[in-house]
Amino acid sequence: VPARPDRDRRSLRRRRLVQDRRHRHASRHLSFADRSKDMLKVGGENVAASEIERVILTVPGVVEAAVVARPDDWLDEVPVAFVIAAGDEAVPDRVRAACASMVADFKVPRAVYVVDELPRSTLRKVNKVELRKVAHSDADRAAATRLWIEEAKTDPSGDDE
């Protein structure tokens, strides 16, 4: 099969543009908005992680924020936030309060983790793959806990101890 570099370049360009969410201005310039893989599917609604991150960054004491999806039994996925805070313990409560007042209920992060630093890729971008692993492992622990509680409630031995 002969190589067709012009066709390969066009195909690669199309794939890259499909993955990027962009906005065309009236001046016909394109601006990058977000990556499509950073979209969360919350109860059938598409939610851009960047929308929630912008709200979180307005909270005093938040230095940096990243939002990823965590699996959920009822809503498919729910947002989880990782923030770098400037030494204030009340930041998670303020983050949830700010999100509750500025975005729809289903977009409010179900958990806010205060971390010292966010994992970075070699290009110094936030490595959301690593954050998703943390969020997923947290969901696995929660699911295991729910299962253990349900099993304890239906103990066939009849022992109350």
Side-chain angles (χ1 to χ4, degrees):
V1 176
R4 299 184 69 171
D6 60 328
R7 178 178 260 173
D8 293 342
R9 270 194 299 269
R10 277 185 287 167
S11 175
L12 179 62
R13 183 170 171 262
R14 277 192 208 108
R15 270 183 294 187
R16 188 171 40 239
L17 290 176
V18 167
Q19 292 176 353
D20 295 338
R21 291 185 53 239
R22 59 211 181 278
H23 174 72
R24 185 179 298 273
H25 299 279
S27 62
R28 303 202 33 90
H29 286 90
L30 284 176
S31 63
F32 175 77
D34 204 356
R35 300 290 291 183
S36 60
K37 67 181 176 183
D38 287 338
M39 292 291 284
L40 290 70
K41 191 79 160 186
V42 182
E45 298 285 337
N46 288 327
V47 178
S50 61
E51 177 187 0
I52 302 168
E53 290 166 356
R54 278 192 298 274
V55 171
I56 292 172
L57 290 173
T58 65
V59 175
V62 173
V63 177
E64 191 173 5
V67 174
V68 297
R70 178 177 75 191
D72 185 73
D73 294 338
W74 290 324
L75 296 174
D76 192 24
E77 294 178 336
V78 292
V80 175
F82 292 84
V83 299
I84 298 176
D88 190 355
E89 293 179 12
V91 166
D93 295 330
R94 286 202 312 260
V95 164
R96 280 192 284 277
C99 288
S101 68
M102 297 175 78
V103 297
D105 289 344
F106 63 90
K107 297 179 183 180
V108 176
R110 298 308 189 270
V112 177
Y113 298 104
V114 177
V115 295
D116 294 330
E117 62 183 27
L118 295 170
R120 303 275 178 187
S121 68
T122 54
L123 297 174
R124 303 300 303 148
K125 292 181 175 182
V126 174
N127 188 343
K128 290 196 173 183
V129 172
E130 291 299 317
L131 293 178
R132 283 185 197 100
K133 288 179 185 176
V134 172
H136 284 240
S137 66
D138 183 49
D140 292 341
R141 264 196 309 275
T145 302
R146 274 196 306 273
L147 179 62
W148 178 79
I149 290 170
E150 291 303 315
E151 287 177 353
K153 287 180 183 176
T154 59
D155 184 10
S157 66
D159 294 336
D160 292 335
E161 298 177 309

